[in-house]
Amino acid sequence: MRKILIAAVLVISAVNVQSQETEKPTVDKSIFGANFGLLSIGFQHEARLARKLALHSEVGVNLMVYTIDYIGSNDSDTGYLTAPFVQLEPRFYYSLDRRARKNRNTTHNSANYISLKTIYYANDLEISNSIASYKVARAIDIVPSYGLRRTFAKNFNYEFSFGVGYRQNIFGSTGCNCDRSEVAVDAQARIGYTF
């Protein structure tokens, strides 16, 4: 009887140890934060959809710099506009398992990812330093991206991403005679804080 009891305890212990070893890393269930980029500031939320898949949503403001060249003159004016944006981005964190195997930090979704950004730029709340009334064209960007996110100092993170995609400009009835579609290049370097 004693041998059976010892054997049962060993089997249960082995099963318990094995189940702990095979537990796979997963993205966080819900993350709220703020981030500051070179030309943007925003508030973000990431929600887990699957073990390695999260939906990143963000609202913020971009700073846009522009230059106006006057025809028949060597003069030009440079100014800035701010434009609010809303972003939805499903992210697939493909390097979670590899980072966990190498005992690297995976806190707050610290991993490399691929994503499909969908960004809407509004022109309702823009701020400009220009005397003339220039308006940002409303636009929708769809950009496949590659990025990496790393957490440091417990709640701080940095993030780099790059992608090339498609932009559809949306002009009103008094809009310009500009291109409605163009190439969208999205390069970001940001520092954030997770609440």
Side-chain angles (χ1 to χ4, degrees), residues 94-134:
Y94 67 89
S95 71
L96 275 176
D97 294 333
R98 181 176 52 85
R99 288 184 61 79
R101 269 195 317 271
K102 293 184 174 187
N103 292 325
R104 295 193 177 148
N105 185 9
T106 59
T107 307
H108 301 309
N109 302 346
S110 291
N112 298 2
Y113 62 86
I114 54 174
S115 67
L116 183 64
K117 286 184 184 179
T118 304
I119 309 168
Y120 173 71
Y121 295 100
N123 64 357
D124 301 329
L125 302 170
E126 65 187 34
I127 300 169
S128 173
N129 71 336
S130 176
I131 298 170
S133 65
Y134 294 106

Side-chain angles (χ1 to χ4, degrees), residues 6-20:
I6 291 172
V9 167
L10 288 175
V11 168
I12 291 172
S13 298
V15 169
N16 191 20
V17 167
Q18 183 180 8
S19 69
Q20 288 177 359

Side-chain angles (χ1 to χ4, degrees), residues 103-176:
N103 292 325
R104 295 193 177 148
N105 185 9
T106 59
T107 307
H108 301 309
N109 302 346
S110 291
N112 298 2
Y113 62 86
I114 54 174
S115 67
L116 183 64
K117 286 184 184 179
T118 304
I119 309 168
Y120 173 71
Y121 295 100
N123 64 357
D124 301 329
L125 302 170
E126 65 187 34
I127 300 169
S128 173
N129 71 336
S130 176
I131 298 170
S133 65
Y134 294 106
K135 292 194 77 69
V136 174
R138 291 180 293 141
I140 296 176
D141 290 359
I142 299 174
V143 182
S145 297
Y146 169 81
L148 63 94
R149 178 184 181 133
R150 300 293 184 266
T151 299
F152 65 96
K154 195 172 182 181
N155 287 333
F156 288 93
N157 63 69
Y158 61 88
E159 189 172 321
F160 300 101
S161 66
F162 179 78
V164 177
Y166 174 77
R167 170 175 287 164
Q168 178 68 39
N169 292 311
I170 305 167
F171 301 110
S173 59
T174 60
C176 74

Side-chain angles (χ1 to χ4, degrees), residues 4-45:
I4 294 173
L5 185 61
I6 291 172
V9 167
L10 288 175
V11 168
I12 291 172
S13 298
V15 169
N16 191 20
V17 167
Q18 183 180 8
S19 69
Q20 288 177 359
E21 289 176 0
T22 59
E23 187 174 315
K24 297 190 181 234
T26 181
V27 296
D28 288 357
K29 186 175 183 179
S30 181
I31 299 174
F32 288 95
N35 58 54
F36 309 94
L38 296 174
L39 299 174
S40 68
I41 184 171
F43 293 97
Q44 65 186 9
H45 176 254

